[in-house]
């Protein structure tokens, strides 16, 4: 008999409270799974045969606390204690999707409850009463599946996914997070039931997107993204990404498969950053390649303006996928600028070219360079290290130039209000032109980036600008 030994003292305490109240309580779900995989988490799920909320109330009283929330429809209750989230549930016959539209809960036995969970690795329980503390109950071979790195449903996968189609996304998420494989029958069901994700009212767009973003946050998102593609889920939830797959051949020329290139870029960037939106920008940086693709005789394949077209595609994608609109501008900017640093990575760049990039990228400069580094996907290690060195050089140059003239958040040191006042002008195009001329002069290195110089320059161009 397999035993686990949770370190967390709260679990012993809850077990003793269960004994005093004649309740059978079990650890279940991700907490057990993670412990078996060698990691103790901070989210504890306690399942009770009988009334979970009633038991949660006893525990709350003994801990001298109120319950933090109670979901009557779902028969679950939440209690926070010392930064640990403890969720109590009644053993039930229904799925465990909090957002599901089938909230009526019917009590069930421990075995029945475990069978209605999503995957065998999440359907392992462990007793916490005195007589069975730490004893593992594994009716569906979850331990073996953890050992063999397999995602499998406890019941027929069609039934498990029918209970809650969001599990289609969860299968991919867990596979990506743990580097597990989705077992064959389970994967067939993922493929055949993918369309259920979008059936009216079954699963909300927000929940699908939330799973998608969690996949992007795994250590190696390419595992999940590739599974989404191969199962046909990508085509449904993010068709523009699915369209990246495919290679066109014309005579001796073929372009690289943009989908597989993108996967490498996303994996690369995930080694460099945990910033979700920078990872997202990496995912979409070449998104307009399929629609800008052209074969030009004598040149080969071109993707003219794909960065601009891609940036313009973002707004609709953000709206459709219910992504947070306050991240839109950031992603647009990175997509739009992702080619800009490339020529600067060559020798002989002028200070003014460096200034322009720094001024335009503003706060996003570092992230942009991170994206460019991740975008190097050559198979030749010498080339990779040469290109990376080049970006190191660009970064150094930027720092030097910035130190010289502090160009981040760059704008004309003489403000519009002052120009209006000086020349007695109303707001209008001409003010913009004055500012633009000053900024250009600074970027070109004609004048230093300070107030005094900018004002002198302003006076020197006054007549010329006001003339037309
Ligand atoms: N569960 C399920 N079906 C769902 C959601 C959850 O069967 N759609 C069950 C699983 O047994 C899962 C448990 O409820 O282990 C808790 O769900 P959740 O907190 O979403 O996931 P965890 O497995 O704890 O994973 P994570 O580490 O991502 O929180």
């Amino acid at each position: 008999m397999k035993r686990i030994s949770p370190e967390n003292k709260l679990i012993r305490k809850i077990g003793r409270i269960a004994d005093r109240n004649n309740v059978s309580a079990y650890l279940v779900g991700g907490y057990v799974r993670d412990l078996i995989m060698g990691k103790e988490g901070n989210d504890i799920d306690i399942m009770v045969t009988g009334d979970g909320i009633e038991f949660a109330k006893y525990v709350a009283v003994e801990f001298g606390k109120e319950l933090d929330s109670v979901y009557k429809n779902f028969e679950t209750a939440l209690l926070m204690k010392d930064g640990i989230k403890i969720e109590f549930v009644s053993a039930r016959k229904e799925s465990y999707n909090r957002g599901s539209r089938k909230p009526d809960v019917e009590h069930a036995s421990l075995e029945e409850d475990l069978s209605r969970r999503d995957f065998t690795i999440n359907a392992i329980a462990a007793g916490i009463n005195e007589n069975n503390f730490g004893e593992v109950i594994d009716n569906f071979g979850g331990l073996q599946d953890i050992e063999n790195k397999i995602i499998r449903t406890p019941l027929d996968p069609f039934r498990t996914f029918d209970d809650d189609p969001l599990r289609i996304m969860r299968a991919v998420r867990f596979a990506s997070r743990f580097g597990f494989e989705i077992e064959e029958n389970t994967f067939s069901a993922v493929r055949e039931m993918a369309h259920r994700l979008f059936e009216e009212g079954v699963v909300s767009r927000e929940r699908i997107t939330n799973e998608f973003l969690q996949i992007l946050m795994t250590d190696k998102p390419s595992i999940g993204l590739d599974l989404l593609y191969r199962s046909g889920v990508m085509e449904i939830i993010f068709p523009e990404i699915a369209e990246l797959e495919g290679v066109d051949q014309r005579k001796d020329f073929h372009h690289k498969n943009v989908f597989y290139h993108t996967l490498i870029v996303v994996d690369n960037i995930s080694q460099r950053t945990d910033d979700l939106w920078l990872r997202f920008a990496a995912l979409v940086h070449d998104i307009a390649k399929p629609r800008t693709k052209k074969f030009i005789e004598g040149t080969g394949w071109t993707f003219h303006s794909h960065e601009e077209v891609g940036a313009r595609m973002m707004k609709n994608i953000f709206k459709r996928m219910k992504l947070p609109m306050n991240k839109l501008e950031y992603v647009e900017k990175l997509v739009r600028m992702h080619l800009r640093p490339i020529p600067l990575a060559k020798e002989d760049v002028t200070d003014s070219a460096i200034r322009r990039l720094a001024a335009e990228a503003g706060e996003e400069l570092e992230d942009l360079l991170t994206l460019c580094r991740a975008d190097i996907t050559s198979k030749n290690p010498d080339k990779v290290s040469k290109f990376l060195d080049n970006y190191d050089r660009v970064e150094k140059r930027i720092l030097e130039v910035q130190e010289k003239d502090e160009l981040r958040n760059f704008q004309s040191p003489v403000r519009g209000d002052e120009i209006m006042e000086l020349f007695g002008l109303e707001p209008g195009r001409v003010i913009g032109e004055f500012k633009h001329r000053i900024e250009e002069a600074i970027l070109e290195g004609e004048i230093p980036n300070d107030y005094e110089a900018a004002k002198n320059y302003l006076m020197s161009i006054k007549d010329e600008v006001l003339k037309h």
Side-chain angles (χ1 to χ4, degrees), residues 159-274:
R159 180 161 168 203
T160 300
F161 292 152
D162 188 58
D163 269 354
D164 173 13
L166 188 68
R167 290 169 168 172
I168 293 166
M169 297 293 294
R170 286 173 63 93
V172 174
R173 162 155 74 90
F174 286 119
S176 196
R177 172 155 145 209
F178 299 130
F180 283 18
E181 272 189 32
I182 302 178
E183 173 271 336
E184 210 179 306
N185 282 331
T186 304
F187 191 67
S188 299
V190 166
R191 211 168 28 220
E192 282 175 47
M193 294 185 71
H195 65 278
R196 289 284 315 273
L197 279 170
F198 270 0
E199 254 165 40
E200 207 53 42
V202 179
V203 186
S204 72
R205 186 80 219 204
E206 284 83 349
R207 294 172 75 83
I208 297 171
T209 292
N210 176 37
E211 289 291 333
F212 183 79
L213 297 180
Q214 287 194 58
I215 291 169
L216 212 47
M217 284 308 288
T218 58
D219 289 345
K220 204 164 176 243
S222 63
I223 300 176
L225 296 169
D226 194 35
L227 284 168
L228 290 178
Y229 176 73
R230 288 196 286 116
S231 60
V233 172
M234 190 72 93
E235 206 179 312
I236 296 175
I237 65 167
F238 205 159
E240 295 87 347
I241 296 293
E243 265 173 46
L244 299 178
E245 156 69 14
V247 181
D248 276 316
Q249 182 91 32
R250 202 66 86 73
K251 294 186 191 146
D252 289 339
F253 297 94
H254 67 266
H255 61 75
K256 59 183 169 189
N257 181 319
V258 186
F259 180 65
Y260 287 103
H261 164 73
T262 297
L263 294 192
I264 300 171
V265 179
V266 173
D267 280 353
N268 282 348
I269 211 157
S270 302
Q271 285 178 8
R272 297 172 180 270
T273 181
D274 281 337

Side-chain angles (χ1 to χ4, degrees), residues 3 18 56 58 100 111 131 142 162 245 247 263 294 422 445:
R3 266 179 191 281
Y58 297 141
S100 132
E111 290 72 21
N131 64 344
D162 188 58
E245 156 69 14
V247 181
L263 294 192
K294 256 207 187 91
L422 266 173

Side-chain angles (χ1 to χ4, degrees), residues 386-432:
K386 190 181 121 213
F387 291 148
L388 287 176
D389 284 352
N390 285 353
Y391 283 122
D392 288 348
R393 226 182 29 242
V394 175
E395 195 149 42
K396 220 170 122 230
R397 282 290 302 278
I398 289 169
L399 286 177
E400 283 166 12
V401 175
Q402 266 173 350
E403 247 168 49
K404 257 199 250 162
D405 46 30
E406 299 198 336
L407 269 172
R408 264 174 207 238
N409 289 325
F410 171 75
Q411 46 188 338
S412 161
V414 182
R415 317 296 309 132
D417 288 350
E418 193 180 344
I419 300 173
M420 288 193 278
E421 208 169 299
L422 266 173
F423 301 147
L425 296 169
E426 296 291 308
R429 186 195 54 81
V430 108
I431 310 299

Side-chain angles (χ1 to χ4, degrees), residues 29-30 33 45 96 117-118 122 164 167 170 173 177:
R33 177 199 67 218
D45 282 341
Y96 271 87
R117 287 176 180 262
D118 53 2
N122 291 340
D164 173 13
R167 290 169 168 172
R170 286 173 63 93
R173 162 155 74 90
R177 172 155 145 209

Side-chain angles (χ1 to χ4, degrees), residues 10 12 34 38 42 64 81 98 110 117 119 131 156 179 185 215 230 285 333 354 366 374 432 447:
L10 290 175
R12 276 274 180 203
D34 290 349
N42 286 332
K81 170 88 176 150
R98 178 82 51 61
L110 168 74
R117 287 176 180 262
F119 306 109
N131 64 344
D156 174 4
N185 282 331
I215 291 169
R230 288 196 286 116
H285 77 287
K333 188 169 189 178
I354 295 274
E366 256 153 59
I447 59 168

